[in-house]
Amino acid sequence: MEDAAVSKMFYSIKEVASTLGEAETTLRYWEGEFQDVISPRRNERGVRFYSEKDINDVRLLKYLIRDCGLTFEGVRKRLKNNKESALKQAKAIRHLRHIRAELKALQEALDEAEKIRNRQEPESSTRYLSPL
């Protein structure tokens, strides 16, 4: 969400789920399991609105659950013992993944440019050889 050109104050659960690649039901479930970590605002109808802090907290949970493979109890212990370290680690991993995606895109562009260059070169350089 922080990558958006225009930053919003709050995001719907659908926007957050889509951005993080999780189902809306998963976010609701995590919210119930980790009420002390995730607490999005709700309007009078109960519709959730996530702030940037809420989204970062969900990202942290996703990192600990999906990437580190921790159980919910393991996540609770990790957050109780050292939440700041877990936040820094999750942020670093997210940045590294972004860098890897950019590098892959660059590699693909270079590969495509190489293909185009190879198509433009003469088929055989034997025309240019001088007799011995």
CSV table of all heavy atoms in Angstrom, one decimal, residues 22-55:
chain,number,residue,atom,x,y,z
A,22,GLU,N,-3.8,-12.5,0.1
A,22,GLU,CA,-4.5,-13.4,1.1
A,22,GLU,C,-6.0,-13.2,0.9
A,22,GLU,O,-6.5,-12.2,0.3
A,22,GLU,CB,-4.2,-13.0,2.5
A,22,GLU,CG,-2.7,-13.2,2.9
A,22,GLU,CD,-2.4,-14.7,3.0
A,22,GLU,OE1,-3.3,-15.5,3.2
A,22,GLU,OE2,-1.2,-15.0,3.0
A,23,ALA,N,-6.8,-14.2,1.3
A,23,ALA,CA,-8.2,-14.1,1.3
A,23,ALA,C,-8.7,-13.2,2.4
A,23,ALA,O,-8.1,-13.1,3.4
A,23,ALA,CB,-8.8,-15.5,1.4
A,24,GLU,N,-9.9,-12.6,2.1
A,24,GLU,CA,-10.5,-11.7,3.1
A,24,GLU,C,-10.8,-12.5,4.4
A,24,GLU,O,-10.6,-12.0,5.5
A,24,GLU,CB,-11.8,-11.1,2.6
A,24,GLU,CG,-11.5,-10.1,1.5
A,24,GLU,CD,-12.8,-9.5,0.8
A,24,GLU,OE1,-13.8,-9.3,1.6
A,24,GLU,OE2,-12.8,-9.3,-0.4
A,25,THR,N,-11.2,-13.7,4.2
A,25,THR,CA,-11.6,-14.6,5.4
A,25,THR,C,-10.3,-14.9,6.2
A,25,THR,O,-10.4,-15.0,7.4
A,25,THR,CB,-12.2,-15.9,4.9
A,25,THR,OG1,-11.3,-16.5,4.0
A,25,THR,CG2,-13.5,-15.7,4.3
A,26,THR,N,-9.2,-15.0,5.5
A,26,THR,CA,-7.9,-15.2,6.3
A,26,THR,C,-7.6,-14.0,7.1
A,26,THR,O,-7.2,-14.1,8.3
A,26,THR,CB,-6.7,-15.4,5.3
A,26,THR,OG1,-7.0,-16.6,4.5
A,26,THR,CG2,-5.4,-15.6,6.0
A,27,LEU,N,-7.8,-12.8,6.6
A,27,LEU,CA,-7.5,-11.6,7.4
A,27,LEU,C,-8.5,-11.5,8.6
A,27,LEU,O,-8.1,-11.1,9.7
A,27,LEU,CB,-7.7,-10.3,6.5
A,27,LEU,CG,-6.7,-10.2,5.3
A,27,LEU,CD1,-6.9,-8.9,4.6
A,27,LEU,CD2,-5.3,-10.4,5.8
A,28,ARG,N,-9.7,-11.8,8.4
A,28,ARG,CA,-10.7,-11.8,9.5
A,28,ARG,C,-10.3,-12.8,10.5
A,28,ARG,O,-10.4,-12.6,11.7
A,28,ARG,CB,-12.1,-12.1,8.9
A,28,ARG,CG,-12.7,-11.0,8.1
A,28,ARG,CD,-14.2,-11.3,7.8
A,28,ARG,NE,-14.6,-10.4,6.7
A,28,ARG,CZ,-14.7,-10.8,5.4
A,28,ARG,NH1,-14.4,-12.0,5.1
A,28,ARG,NH2,-15.1,-9.9,4.5
A,29,TYR,N,-9.8,-14.0,10.1
A,29,TYR,CA,-9.4,-15.1,11.0
A,29,TYR,C,-8.2,-14.6,11.8
A,29,TYR,O,-8.2,-14.7,13.1
A,29,TYR,CB,-9.1,-16.3,10.3
A,29,TYR,CG,-8.8,-17.5,11.2
A,29,TYR,CD1,-9.8,-18.1,12.0
A,29,TYR,CD2,-7.5,-18.0,11.3
A,29,TYR,CE1,-9.5,-19.2,12.8
A,29,TYR,CE2,-7.2,-19.0,12.1
A,29,TYR,CZ,-8.2,-19.6,12.9
A,29,TYR,OH,-8.0,-20.7,13.7
A,30,TRP,N,-7.2,-14.1,11.2
A,30,TRP,CA,-6.0,-13.6,11.9
A,30,TRP,C,-6.4,-12.4,12.8
A,30,TRP,O,-5.8,-12.4,13.9
A,30,TRP,CB,-5.0,-13.1,10.9
A,30,TRP,CG,-4.3,-14.1,10.1
A,30,TRP,CD1,-4.4,-15.5,10.3
A,30,TRP,CD2,-3.4,-14.0,9.0
A,30,TRP,NE1,-3.6,-16.2,9.4
A,30,TRP,CE2,-3.0,-15.3,8.6
A,30,TRP,CE3,-2.9,-12.9,8.3
A,30,TRP,CZ2,-2.1,-15.5,7.5
A,30,TRP,CZ3,-2.1,-13.1,7.3
A,30,TRP,CH2,-1.7,-14.3,6.9
A,31,GLU,N,-7.3,-11.6,12.4
A,31,GLU,CA,-7.8,-10.5,13.3
A,31,GLU,C,-8.4,-11.1,14.6
A,31,GLU,O,-8.1,-10.6,15.7
A,31,GLU,CB,-8.8,-9.7,12.6
A,31,GLU,CG,-9.3,-8.5,13.4
A,31,GLU,CD,-10.4,-7.7,12.7
A,31,GLU,OE1,-10.4,-7.7,11.5
A,31,GLU,OE2,-11.2,-7.1,13.5
A,32,GLY,N,-9.1,-12.2,14.5
A,32,GLY,CA,-9.7,-12.8,15.7
A,32,GLY,C,-8.6,-13.5,16.5
A,32,GLY,O,-8.7,-13.5,17.8
A,33,GLU,N,-7.7,-14.1,15.9
A,33,GLU,CA,-6.6,-14.8,16.6
A,33,GLU,C,-5.6,-13.8,17.3
A,33,GLU,O,-5.0,-14.2,18.3
A,33,GLU,CB,-5.8,-15.7,15.7
A,33,GLU,CG,-6.6,-17.0,15.3
A,33,GLU,CD,-6.8,-17.9,16.5
A,33,GLU,OE1,-5.9,-18.1,17.3
A,33,GLU,OE2,-7.9,-18.5,16.6
A,34,PHE,N,-5.4,-12.7,16.6
A,34,PHE,CA,-4.4,-11.7,17.1
A,34,PHE,C,-5.0,-10.4,17.3
A,34,PHE,O,-4.6,-9.4,16.8
A,34,PHE,CB,-3.2,-11.7,16.1
A,34,PHE,CG,-2.5,-13.0,15.8
A,34,PHE,CD1,-2.9,-13.7,14.7
A,34,PHE,CD2,-1.6,-13.4,16.7
A,34,PHE,CE1,-2.2,-14.9,14.5
A,34,PHE,CE2,-1.0,-14.7,16.5
A,34,PHE,CZ,-1.3,-15.4,15.4
A,35,GLN,N,-6.0,-10.3,18.2
A,35,GLN,CA,-6.7,-9.1,18.5
A,35,GLN,C,-5.8,-8.0,19.0
A,35,GLN,O,-6.1,-6.8,18.8
A,35,GLN,CB,-7.9,-9.4,19.4
A,35,GLN,CG,-8.9,-10.2,18.8
A,35,GLN,CD,-10.0,-10.6,19.8
A,35,GLN,OE1,-10.0,-10.2,20.9
A,35,GLN,NE2,-11.0,-11.4,19.3
A,36,ASP,N,-4.8,-8.4,19.7
A,36,ASP,CA,-3.9,-7.4,20.3
A,36,ASP,C,-2.9,-6.8,19.2
A,36,ASP,O,-2.2,-5.8,19.5
A,36,ASP,CB,-3.1,-8.0,21.5
A,36,ASP,CG,-2.4,-9.3,21.1
A,36,ASP,OD1,-2.9,-10.0,20.2
A,36,ASP,OD2,-1.3,-9.6,21.7
A,37,VAL,N,-2.8,-7.5,18.1
A,37,VAL,CA,-1.9,-7.0,17.0
A,37,VAL,C,-2.7,-6.3,15.9
A,37,VAL,O,-2.3,-5.2,15.5
A,37,VAL,CB,-1.2,-8.2,16.4
A,37,VAL,CG1,-0.3,-7.8,15.3
A,37,VAL,CG2,-0.4,-9.0,17.5
A,38,ILE,N,-3.8,-6.9,15.4
A,38,ILE,CA,-4.6,-6.3,14.4
A,38,ILE,C,-5.9,-5.8,14.9
A,38,ILE,O,-6.7,-6.5,15.5
A,38,ILE,CB,-4.9,-7.3,13.3
A,38,ILE,CG1,-3.7,-8.0,12.8
A,38,ILE,CG2,-5.6,-6.6,12.1
A,38,ILE,CD1,-4.0,-9.2,11.8
A,39,SER,N,-6.1,-4.5,14.7
A,39,SER,CA,-7.4,-3.9,15.2
A,39,SER,C,-7.8,-2.8,14.3
A,39,SER,O,-7.7,-1.6,14.6
A,39,SER,CB,-7.2,-3.4,16.6
A,39,SER,OG,-6.1,-2.5,16.7
A,40,PRO,N,-8.3,-3.1,13.1
A,40,PRO,CA,-8.7,-2.1,12.1
A,40,PRO,C,-9.9,-1.4,12.7
A,40,PRO,O,-10.7,-1.9,13.4
A,40,PRO,CB,-9.0,-2.9,10.8
A,40,PRO,CG,-9.3,-4.2,11.3
A,40,PRO,CD,-8.5,-4.5,12.5
A,41,ARG,N,-10.1,-0.1,12.2
A,41,ARG,CA,-11.3,0.7,12.6
A,41,ARG,C,-12.5,0.0,11.9
A,41,ARG,O,-12.4,-0.6,10.9
A,41,ARG,CB,-11.1,2.1,12.1
A,41,ARG,CG,-10.2,2.9,12.9
A,41,ARG,CD,-10.3,4.3,12.4
A,41,ARG,NE,-9.5,5.2,13.3
A,41,ARG,CZ,-9.5,6.5,13.3
A,41,ARG,NH1,-10.2,7.1,12.3
A,41,ARG,NH2,-8.8,7.2,14.1
A,42,ARG,N,-13.6,0.3,12.5
A,42,ARG,CA,-14.9,-0.2,12.0
A,42,ARG,C,-15.8,1.0,12.0
A,42,ARG,O,-15.9,1.8,12.9
A,42,ARG,CB,-15.5,-1.3,12.8
A,42,ARG,CG,-14.6,-2.6,12.7
A,42,ARG,CD,-15.3,-3.6,13.6
A,42,ARG,NE,-14.5,-4.8,13.6
A,42,ARG,CZ,-14.9,-6.0,13.1
A,42,ARG,NH1,-16.1,-6.1,12.6
A,42,ARG,NH2,-14.1,-7.1,13.2
A,43,ASN,N,-16.7,1.0,11.0
A,43,ASN,CA,-17.7,2.1,11.0
A,43,ASN,C,-18.9,1.5,11.7
A,43,ASN,O,-18.9,0.4,12.3
A,43,ASN,CB,-18.1,2.5,9.5
A,43,ASN,CG,-18.7,1.5,8.7
A,43,ASN,OD1,-19.1,0.4,9.2
A,43,ASN,ND2,-18.8,1.7,7.4
A,44,GLU,N,-20.0,2.3,11.7
A,44,GLU,CA,-21.2,1.9,12.5
A,44,GLU,C,-21.8,0.6,12.0
A,44,GLU,O,-22.5,-0.1,12.7
A,44,GLU,CB,-22.3,3.0,12.5
A,44,GLU,CG,-22.8,3.4,11.1
A,44,GLU,CD,-21.9,4.4,10.3
A,44,GLU,OE1,-20.9,4.9,10.9
A,44,GLU,OE2,-22.1,4.6,9.1
A,45,ARG,N,-21.6,0.2,10.7
A,45,ARG,CA,-22.1,-1.0,10.2
A,45,ARG,C,-21.1,-2.2,10.4
A,45,ARG,O,-21.4,-3.3,10.0
A,45,ARG,CB,-22.4,-0.9,8.7
A,45,ARG,CG,-23.5,0.1,8.4
A,45,ARG,CD,-23.9,0.2,7.0
A,45,ARG,NE,-22.7,0.4,6.2
A,45,ARG,CZ,-22.6,0.2,4.9
A,45,ARG,NH1,-23.6,-0.4,4.2
A,45,ARG,NH2,-21.5,0.4,4.2
A,46,GLY,N,-20.0,-1.9,11.0
A,46,GLY,CA,-19.0,-3.0,11.3
A,46,GLY,C,-18.0,-3.2,10.1
A,46,GLY,O,-17.2,-4.2,10.2
A,47,VAL,N,-18.0,-2.4,9.1
A,47,VAL,CA,-17.1,-2.5,8.0
A,47,VAL,C,-15.7,-2.1,8.4
A,47,VAL,O,-15.5,-1.0,9.1
A,47,VAL,CB,-17.5,-1.6,6.8
A,47,VAL,CG1,-16.5,-1.7,5.6
A,47,VAL,CG2,-18.9,-2.1,6.3
A,48,ARG,N,-14.7,-2.9,8.1
A,48,ARG,CA,-13.3,-2.7,8.6
A,48,ARG,C,-12.6,-1.7,7.7
A,48,ARG,O,-12.8,-1.7,6.4
A,48,ARG,CB,-12.5,-4.0,8.5
A,48,ARG,CG,-13.0,-5.0,9.5
A,48,ARG,CD,-12.4,-6.4,9.2
A,48,ARG,NE,-12.7,-7.4,10.1
A,48,ARG,CZ,-13.8,-8.1,10.2
A,48,ARG,NH1,-14.7,-7.9,9.3
A,48,ARG,NH2,-14.0,-9.0,11.1
A,49,PHE,N,-11.8,-0.9,8.3
A,49,PHE,CA,-10.9,0.1,7.6
A,49,PHE,C,-9.5,0.0,8.1
A,49,PHE,O,-9.3,0.2,9.3
A,49,PHE,CB,-11.5,1.5,7.7
A,49,PHE,CG,-12.8,1.7,7.0
A,49,PHE,CD1,-14.0,1.7,7.7
A,49,PHE,CD2,-12.8,1.9,5.6
A,49,PHE,CE1,-15.2,1.8,7.0
A,49,PHE,CE2,-14.0,2.1,4.9
A,49,PHE,CZ,-15.2,2.0,5.6
A,50,TYR,N,-8.6,-0.4,7.3
A,50,TYR,CA,-7.2,-0.6,7.7
A,50,TYR,C,-6.4,0.6,7.5
A,50,TYR,O,-6.3,1.2,6.4
A,50,TYR,CB,-6.6,-1.8,6.9
A,50,TYR,CG,-7.2,-3.1,7.3
A,50,TYR,CD1,-8.4,-3.6,6.8
A,50,TYR,CD2,-6.5,-4.0,8.1
A,50,TYR,CE1,-9.0,-4.8,7.1
A,50,TYR,CE2,-7.0,-5.2,8.4
A,50,TYR,CZ,-8.2,-5.6,8.0
A,50,TYR,OH,-8.8,-6.9,8.3
A,51,SER,N,-5.6,1.0,8.5
A,51,SER,CA,-4.6,2.1,8.3
A,51,SER,C,-3.3,1.4,7.9
A,51,SER,O,-3.2,0.2,7.8
A,51,SER,CB,-4.4,2.7,9.7
A,51,SER,OG,-3.8,1.8,10.6
A,52,GLU,N,-2.3,2.3,7.5
A,52,GLU,CA,-1.0,1.8,7.1
A,52,GLU,C,-0.4,0.9,8.3
A,52,GLU,O,0.2,-0.1,8.0
A,52,GLU,CB,-0.1,2.9,6.8
A,52,GLU,CG,-0.4,3.6,5.5
A,52,GLU,CD,-0.1,2.7,4.3
A,52,GLU,OE1,0.7,1.8,4.4
A,52,GLU,OE2,-0.6,3.0,3.2
A,53,LYS,N,-0.6,1.3,9.5
A,53,LYS,CA,-0.1,0.5,10.6
A,53,LYS,C,-0.7,-0.8,10.7
A,53,LYS,O,0.0,-1.8,10.9
A,53,LYS,CB,-0.3,1.3,12.0
A,53,LYS,CG,0.3,0.5,13.2
A,53,LYS,CD,-0.3,1.0,14.5
A,53,LYS,CE,0.1,0.2,15.6
A,53,LYS,NZ,-0.3,-1.2,15.6
A,54,ASP,N,-2.0,-0.9,10.5
A,54,ASP,CA,-2.8,-2.2,10.5
A,54,ASP,C,-2.2,-3.0,9.4
A,54,ASP,O,-2.0,-4.2,9.6
A,54,ASP,CB,-4.3,-1.9,10.3
A,54,ASP,CG,-4.9,-1.2,11.4
A,54,ASP,OD1,-4.5,-1.4,12.6
A,54,ASP,OD2,-5.9,-0.4,11.1
A,55,ILE,N,-2.0,-2.5,8.2
A,55,ILE,CA,-1.5,-3.2,7.1
A,55,ILE,C,-0.1,-3.8,7.3
A,55,ILE,O,0.2,-4.9,7.0
A,55,ILE,CB,-1.5,-2.4,5.8
A,55,ILE,CG1,-3.0,-2.0,5.4
A,55,ILE,CG2,-0.8,-3.1,4.6
A,55,ILE,CD1,-3.1,-1.0,4.4
